[in-house]
Amino acid sequence: MEKTFLMIKPDGVQRNLIGPIVERLENKGFKIVGAKLMQVSEDLAKTHYGEHSERPFFGELVEFITSGPVFAMVLEGENVIKTARLVVGSTNPQEAAPGTIRGDFGLTVGKNIIHGSDSPESAEREINLFFDESEVLDYDLSNSAWIY
Ligand code: RTP
Ligand code: MG
C-alpha cells in the first residue's frame, strides 16, 4: 500500500491543531503507520526543503520549521500521496479551498499549517529522512478489509 509523509508545522502544533487535523486524516480513511512529535534540526530542515535552497524565502522557511515542535506522520492508503495533498490544500492558504486543512486553518503562505509529500520520490525520501524503519509499523485495522 502507498505511503506518504505529512508534518504538522510549528504553527499547527502551537495552535493546538494536532487533534483536529489528525481527526480529518483518519476520517478520510488514511491509516496512520508512523507518528511523533519532534524538534527539527537546522540540518534536517535544510535537507528536507533542499529543493528550495535558492529561493528567497529559504532562510525564513528553515527558521520557521525549526522554531518549535512539529508532528510528523507516515500515512498509508490507496493513492495516498495525491489524495493527502488534496486534503491539505493549495500552498497559499488564501487560495486553498474551504474544506481543506490549509483552507480552513491557515492564512499566510509562510505559515501554512502542514506539509505533504508531492510525489512518490519525495514521499520515499521524506519518510526515510524523518523516520527509522522501526518507527513505521505494519499492522491491521479491524476495518481495513472493507475500506481497502
Ligand atoms: P510543503 O512542501 O510545505 O508541503 O508546501 P508545498 O509543497 O505546498 O509548497 P512548496 O512549493 O514545496 O513550498 C514549500 C513551503 O515554502 C513556503 N513558501 N513560501 N513566500 C513564498 O512565496 C513561499 N512560497 C512557498 C511555504 O510555507 C511552503 O509550504
Ligand atoms: Mg513542497
Side-chain angles (χ1 to χ4, degrees):
M1 188 61 74
E2 189 171 281
K3 291 183 179 62
T4 195
F5 173 70
L6 293 193
M7 171 173 65
I8 302 176
K9 298 182 182 183
D11 54 336
V13 173
Q14 290 295 325
R15 291 175 52 198
N16 292 315
L17 292 174
I18 295 175
I21 290 171
V22 170
E23 184 176 23
R24 287 171 179 228
L25 299 170
E26 288 186 307
N27 285 347
K28 178 68 178 170
F30 302 139
K31 179 173 162 186
I32 299 170
V33 294
K36 60 182 172 185
L37 189 71
M38 61 180 284
Q39 173 65 45
V40 176
S41 68
E42 193 176 325
D43 276 357
L44 178 57
K46 285 181 172 166
T47 307
H48 171 65
Y49 278 127
E51 65 175 313
H52 299 304
S53 61
E54 304 302 319
R55 309 280 286 275
F57 57 82
F58 185 65
E60 268 174 47
L61 184 55
V62 169
E63 194 179 331
F64 168 58
I65 215 71
T66 58
S67 67
V70 301
F71 191 73
M73 290 169 278
V74 180
L75 298 188
E76 194 176 83
E78 208 176 291
N79 206 13
V80 69
I81 300 169
K82 193 170 169 206
T83 315
R85 291 272 294 187
L86 287 177
V87 173
V88 163
S90 303
T91 305
N92 185 346
Q94 293 182 17
E95 287 160 14
T100 65
I101 293 169
R102 287 169 173 168
D104 287 350
F105 297 129
L107 208 51
T108 63
V109 70
K111 295 190 170 63
N112 58 5
I113 312 284
I114 187 167
H115 161 81
S117 304
D118 62 9
S119 67
E121 296 72 31
S122 306
E124 194 184 346
R125 189 179 82 89
E126 293 168 3
I127 290 168
N128 290 328
L129 258 180
F130 283 82
F131 285 84
D132 286 337
E133 215 174 304
S134 64
E135 295 175 314
V136 181
L137 307 185
D138 185 7
Y139 69 102
D140 289 326
L141 289 175
S142 57
N143 58 8
S144 61
W146 55 266
I147 289 186
Y148 297 116

